[in-house]
């Protein structure tokens, strides 16, 4: 009996000490969620690093927030909090059926910034993410943000039409891309991979392979639905609603989102500054990495 009581006492002591150790342990993380629920059964992946003034980054099609690897490293080192949001359907975020348009994306971003209690952030978006950011700022009157940055943005309109003869793509061209997505997605990746950089050497083979692994995580359904959104959306009215300071970074040699689009955005957004990247195609965040990070940092400052 005494041996049993001694054994029980030892177990209680060990359990108590374990609890005390857990309570006294300093958390290794900053206590931030990596996955945030934006609606029932839909969670988005969020990279949330560093401490300081917030910088929110939205990726392009068909990438994820992982594309900003070299921005995370740079801005955390400079004393900023960097928050990369992966849109539904891409990367490590949930991939539900349903709508994939700028309204849904803007609503998701709003939920995340509400939950994180972000204020006075700089929000930036690349390609389709740039169009998403434009719609977010216009729809929610720049809630949580005080500055906007656009990188090779697919805006204000990605496809030509009777009253907008800019860019490279017609609606018929995009219909072809949708067909390719639904029958031969590897060929679609190869097609875009060939025109993503300014030339064959401006993005290394290693970086190209890295981007390829990110793209492969995307939902084929989400990719197709987003191509429809890119094909059909007109954000010219949204541009008129934006009053916060805006930085436009765009490659002069961009074969996906023509530099003409950057000029149209600059004309449509009152308080905007356009910075051309002379040596870059669509991959300006890699092709001229140093300039990209420096220009964005100077704008945020």
């Amino acid at each position: 009996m005494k041996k049993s009581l001694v054994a029980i006492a030892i177990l209680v002591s060990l359990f108590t000490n374990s609890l005390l150790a857990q309570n006294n342990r300093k958390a290794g993380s900053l206590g931030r969620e990596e996955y945030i629920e934006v609606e029932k059964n839909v969670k988005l992946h969020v990279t949330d690093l560093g401490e300081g003034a917030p910088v929110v980054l939205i990726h392009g099609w068909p990438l994820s927030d992982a594309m900003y690897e070299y921005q995370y490293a740079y801005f955390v080192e400079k004393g900023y909090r960097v928050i990369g949001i992966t849109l539904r359907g891409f990367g490590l975020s949930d991939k539900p059926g349903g709508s994939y348009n700028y309204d849904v994306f803007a609503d998701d971003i709003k939920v995340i910034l509400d939950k994180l209690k972000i204020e006075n952030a700089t929000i930036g978006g690349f390609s389709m993410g740039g169009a998403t950011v434009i719609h977010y700022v216009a729809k929610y009157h720049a809630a949580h943000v005080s500055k906007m940055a656009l990188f090779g943005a697919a805006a204000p309109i990605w496809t030509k039409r009777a009253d907008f003869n800019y860019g490279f793509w017609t609606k018929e061209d995009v219909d072809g891309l949708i067909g390719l997505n639904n029958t031969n997605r590897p060929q679609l990746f190869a097609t875009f991979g060939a025109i993503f950089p300014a030339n064959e050497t401006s993005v290394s083979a290693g970086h190209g392979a890295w981007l390829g692994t990110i793209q492969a995580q995307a939902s084929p359904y989400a990719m197709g639905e987003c191509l429809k959104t890119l094909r059909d959306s007109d954000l010219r009215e949204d541009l008129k609603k934006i009053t916060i300071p805006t930085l436009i970074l765009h490659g002069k040699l961009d074969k996906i989102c023509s530099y003409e689009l950057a000029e149209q955005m600059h004309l449509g957004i009152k308080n905007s500054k356009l910075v051309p990247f002379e040596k870059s195609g669509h991959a300006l965040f890699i092709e001229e990495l140093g300039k990209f990070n420096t220009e964005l940092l100077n704008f945020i400052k």
Side-chain angles (χ1 to χ4, degrees), residues 11 25 33 35 76 88-89 96 116 126 130 132 141 149 185 193 206 229-230 241 259 263 265 271 289 301:
L11 287 172
R25 179 183 180 274
E33 296 177 80
Y35 294 91
V76 167
R88 61 174 65 200
L116 294 179
F126 169 70
T132 297
H141 310 288
R185 199 161 66 125
T229 294
L230 284 161
K241 300 174 185 176
Y259 190 76
E263 293 172 330
M265 286 184 281
N271 193 10
L289 173 63
K301 282 181 175 179

Side-chain angles (χ1 to χ4, degrees), residues 137-251:
V137 171
K139 180 175 183 177
Y140 286 110
H141 310 288
H144 302 288
V145 304
S146 55
K147 293 181 178 181
M148 178 175 74
L150 305 171
F151 324 128
I157 306 175
W158 197 51
T159 49
K160 294 181 179 183
R161 50 203 69 188
D163 63 342
F164 191 84
N165 191 31
Y166 302 102
F168 300 120
W169 306 90
T170 65
K171 289 192 174 186
E172 291 73 24
D173 292 332
V174 183
D175 287 340
L177 297 176
I178 294 169
L180 203 55
N181 179 73
N182 296 339
T183 59
N184 190 346
R185 199 161 66 125
Q187 183 58 53
L188 178 61
F189 287 144
T191 298
F192 265 80
I195 60 175
F196 200 71
N199 55 60
E200 292 180 356
T201 60
S202 62
V203 172
S204 71
H207 279 126
W210 165 64
L211 291 171
T213 62
I214 298 172
Q215 293 174 342
Q217 295 177 314
S219 152
Y221 173 78
M223 284 179 59
E225 292 302 299
C226 284
L227 282 171
K228 295 174 187 176
T229 294
L230 284 161
R231 178 192 66 192
D232 299 335
S233 298
D234 182 346
L235 299 179
R236 285 178 289 186
E237 289 302 313
D238 281 355
L239 298 187
K240 298 175 184 178
K241 300 174 185 176
I242 295 169
T243 58
I244 59 175
T246 298
L247 175 68
I248 302 169
L249 307 181
H250 212 105

Side-chain angles (χ1 to χ4, degrees), residues 32 36 44-60 64-69 71-72 75-76 79-87 105-127 129-134 136-137 142-151 244-245 247 249 292 296-297 299-300:
R32 299 173 188 169
I36 297 178
L44 302 191
H45 180 263
V46 179
T47 297
D48 190 348
L49 303 171
E51 298 181 78
V55 182
V56 179
L57 298 173
I58 309 299
H59 64 89
S64 76
D65 81 84
M67 67 163 279
Y68 290 114
E69 177 175 334
Q71 284 66 54
Y72 297 146
F75 283 99
V76 167
Y80 291 88
R81 178 181 180 183
V82 194
I83 301 163
I85 300 171
T86 292
L87 302 173
F105 294 151
D107 294 347
D108 287 349
I109 292 168
K110 179 64 161 52
V111 170
I112 288 173
L113 298 186
D114 283 347
K115 288 189 173 184
L116 294 179
K117 297 180 172 60
I118 298 300
E119 296 298 336
N120 295 316
T122 297
I123 189 167
F126 169 70
S127 196
T132 297
V133 163
I134 287 170
Y136 170 80
V137 171
H144 302 288
V145 304
S146 55
K147 293 181 178 181
M148 178 175 74
L150 305 171
F151 324 128
I244 59 175
L247 175 68
L249 307 181
F292 183 94
L296 183 54
L297 176 64
F299 174 66
I300 293 168

